[in-house]
Amino acid sequence: MIEKLILIENIEPIDFYGINNKKFNKMVGYFPKLKIIGRGTEIKVAGEESEIIRFEEKINLLIDYYHRFNKLSEYTIEKIMEEDNGDFVETVKIETDVILYGNKGRAIKARNKTQFQMVEEINTNDLLFAVGPAGTGKTYLAVALAVRALKEKQVRRIILTRPAVEAGEHLGFLPGDLKEKLDPYLQPLYDALTDMIPYKKLNDCFEEGVLEIAPLAFMRGRTLANAFVILDEAQNATSAQIKMFLTRMGENSKFIVTGDLTQIDLPNKKSSGLLKAVNILQDIQGISILNFNEKDIIRHRLVRNIVEAYEKNND
């Protein structure tokens, strides 16, 4: 008889073991000859070597399935445990247009022609500009692409940034310290992340520096290598800020810049750096510039009508 310790990494224990260990008990039931104890991120198993090897293979298949689909049901446990060589994992229907599976296994995919183009373009270009009206899903899709790159280990970290420019408000009037003043500006990025990464794992990623959200001003002087970096609301960045941001790009990095040129909140007499950037960089190889329009809006149907109405009135 031998003993072995199997680690369950990057999975919230309750998602793997189930409430009151219901899922874990089902796994254990398929190996009556083994003594198996699961606590936290560790599974201790004792018994014949051949049985332990078979048990570990099945556990690894369950872990792979969870990482791929962000869920693990009792039905899936049964199928993986009962079929040889993890055939169930390989034969599960995986939609080719799915970018990744978010929380509870929800499929996240491109939802219109321009979004599909954005997915294709980031695969072949290291810098992409996504410009267009609110509601077209530019930021959400950019975050999904970043999370996918992190999960597939194409990059080591994700950095999300926005310029801290007030839309009719002033930072000084907001309560709290600097972080609390800035959080409202960064909330859309938090919202997208919480759709795609389990809450506990998300907190761990922030603590470990795998995920970072910071105001644009904090980017100065840095070299961002092995990272997927998103600059959101770039219409509110000056030309100097955009140049500063783009020149942070290091080796093995992907940059996405999103913005809406109809919602510039910069002070009077200051032009948007985003407008200048898309004009002077459009002919450089390796840079992709996509223009979304009101037909790409995927929010409530009234959002498209509102955008069209404002465009007709040049406001």
Side-chain angles (χ1 to χ4, degrees), residues 48-300:
E48 295 296 326
E49 184 176 9
S50 60
E51 280 290 286
I52 291 177
I53 291 173
R54 194 166 68 89
F55 175 74
E56 186 175 18
E57 288 175 349
K58 294 295 186 180
I59 291 298
N60 287 334
L61 286 172
L62 292 172
I63 292 171
D64 289 344
Y65 184 95
Y66 179 87
H67 284 156
R68 181 181 293 180
F69 299 103
N70 264 349
K71 64 178 180 179
L72 184 64
S73 67
E74 292 183 43
Y75 169 78
T76 300
I77 292 170
E78 291 174 359
K79 298 299 290 184
I80 289 177
M81 289 295 182
E82 292 172 4
E83 295 193 15
D84 292 333
N85 302 319
D87 291 340
F88 175 68
V89 176
E90 300 305 323
T91 57
V92 167
K93 182 179 182 297
I94 302 175
E95 299 170 86
T96 57
D97 58 346
V98 171
I99 298 169
L100 77 156
Y101 290 85
N103 289 334
K104 298 182 180 179
R106 186 173 70 85
I108 296 173
K109 61 180 75 176
R111 295 177 60 184
N112 57 47
K113 183 178 179 181
T114 313
Q115 285 195 0
F116 275 109
Q117 189 178 356
M118 184 171 168
V119 174
E120 293 175 354
E121 291 290 326
I122 199 59
N123 289 332
T124 55
N125 295 281
D126 290 337
L127 173 58
L128 183 147
F129 288 85
V131 183
T136 52
K138 306 180 299 296
T139 299
Y140 192 88
L141 182 60
V143 173
L145 292 168
V147 173
R148 181 183 70 176
L150 183 67
K151 285 191 170 187
E152 294 179 354
K153 298 183 179 179
Q154 297 172 12
V155 297
R156 295 178 186 169
R157 55 182 173 156
I158 296 173
I159 301 171
L160 310 176
T161 184
R162 298 179 93 183
V165 175
E166 303 94 329
E169 300 286 346
H170 294 285
L171 281 172
F173 293 113
L174 293 174
D177 58 20
L178 179 60
K179 180 182 183 303
E180 291 169 327
K181 289 176 185 291
L182 292 170
D183 274 352
Y185 294 93
L186 305 174
Q187 191 59 48
L189 301 175
Y190 287 109
D191 291 343
L193 286 171
T194 54
D195 266 5
M196 303 171 197
I197 302 175
Y199 182 76
K200 175 63 167 59
K201 186 176 179 181
L202 187 62
N203 285 338
D204 291 342
C205 286
F206 278 119
E207 291 178 4
E208 295 166 4
V210 175
L211 281 172
E212 178 185 349
I213 300 181
L216 179 58
F218 289 17
M219 297 296 106
R220 187 173 297 278
R222 301 177 62 182
T223 298
L224 307 178
N226 298 305
F228 202 116
V229 189
I230 299 171
L231 170 57
D232 191 35
E233 297 288 343
Q235 76 276 3
N236 289 326
T238 65
S239 183
Q241 287 176 321
I242 292 280
K243 180 182 177 183
M244 177 274 292
F245 171 75
L246 295 179
T247 54
R248 301 306 94 204
M249 182 179 283
E251 293 184 1
N252 190 42
S253 288
K254 295 275 189 181
F255 275 41
I256 293 183
V257 179
T258 68
D260 178 0
L261 290 170
T262 69
Q263 296 193 38
I264 299 173
D265 299 313
L266 290 168
N268 291 335
K269 299 181 181 179
K270 281 196 175 182
S271 60
S272 170
L274 178 61
L275 180 59
K276 182 176 181 179
V278 296
N279 286 333
I280 68 174
L281 301 177
Q282 57 185 331
D283 295 326
I284 297 178
Q285 187 174 2
I287 298 177
S288 175
I289 298 174
L290 295 179
N291 291 296
F292 289 76
N293 58 47
E294 65 276 3
K295 293 181 181 178
D296 295 314
I297 291 174
I298 55 176
R299 287 184 188 163
H300 193 286

